[in-house]
Amino acid sequence: MWEASDYNSQGWLRLPPLFWVVLVLQARTWVLLVLAGASRQQGETLLALFYPDRTAFWLGLLAGIPAALAFLLSGRRHRFVRLWRGWRWVLIVAQLALSLWQLWMLAQGEAETVTALALLIVDLLALWWLLVSHRLRACFEQDGTFT
């Protein structure tokens, strides 16, 4: 099914590029925090622009923890095989929570409509991809041997 070039030198199926995009999408508050920290002068302004409500900022950090851990786990999936196998479902639940949160913020009028609607659409597409991608499922289910 997969070609030899689809595997890395340890025999693990390479993660699809879209996987990294989904992780950045899920960890978007963490990315914003790093950007704000890197630009010390405008950091506070940047955070206030995207998260005028501090509660939403903390919830965004909380929602991004599974993606941040997936970044760390992906390089060591050969050491944490059982944890890695279940992590796809953790990411799916986190993406579902992000989508529901976006929908709730949109329904409450707490977010800028165009931006919130765009994020909701992207979140739903990411959720769909996490659920249906055969390549991604294989990356989480395989055990590090050529199959």
Side-chain angles (χ1 to χ4, degrees), residues 21-30 51 56-68 90-106 116-127 130:
V21 174
V22 169
L23 289 186
V24 169
L25 177 68
Q26 283 189 3
R28 58 185 170 247
T29 306
W30 287 93
Y51 290 101
F57 173 74
W58 293 111
L59 287 173
L61 286 178
L62 181 65
I65 289 174
V90 172
L91 293 174
I92 288 170
V93 169
Q95 190 64 52
L96 180 62
L98 278 170
S99 299
L100 292 173
W101 183 34
Q102 280 299 127
L103 186 61
W104 181 80
M105 286 179 34
L106 193 61
L117 187 59
L119 277 174
L120 177 63
I121 291 168
V122 171
D123 281 339
L124 290 172
L125 285 172
L127 177 61
L130 285 169

Side-chain angles (χ1 to χ4, degrees), residues 50-85:
F50 287 97
Y51 290 101
D53 176 21
R54 290 289 183 195
T55 304
F57 173 74
W58 293 111
L59 287 173
L61 286 178
L62 181 65
I65 289 174
L69 291 175
F71 272 115
L72 297 173
L73 277 173
S74 65
R76 301 189 184 280
R77 55 187 166 154
H78 60 282
R79 298 181 119 202
F80 303 101
V81 176
R82 295 187 88 176
L83 182 61
W84 178 253
R85 284 188 178 159

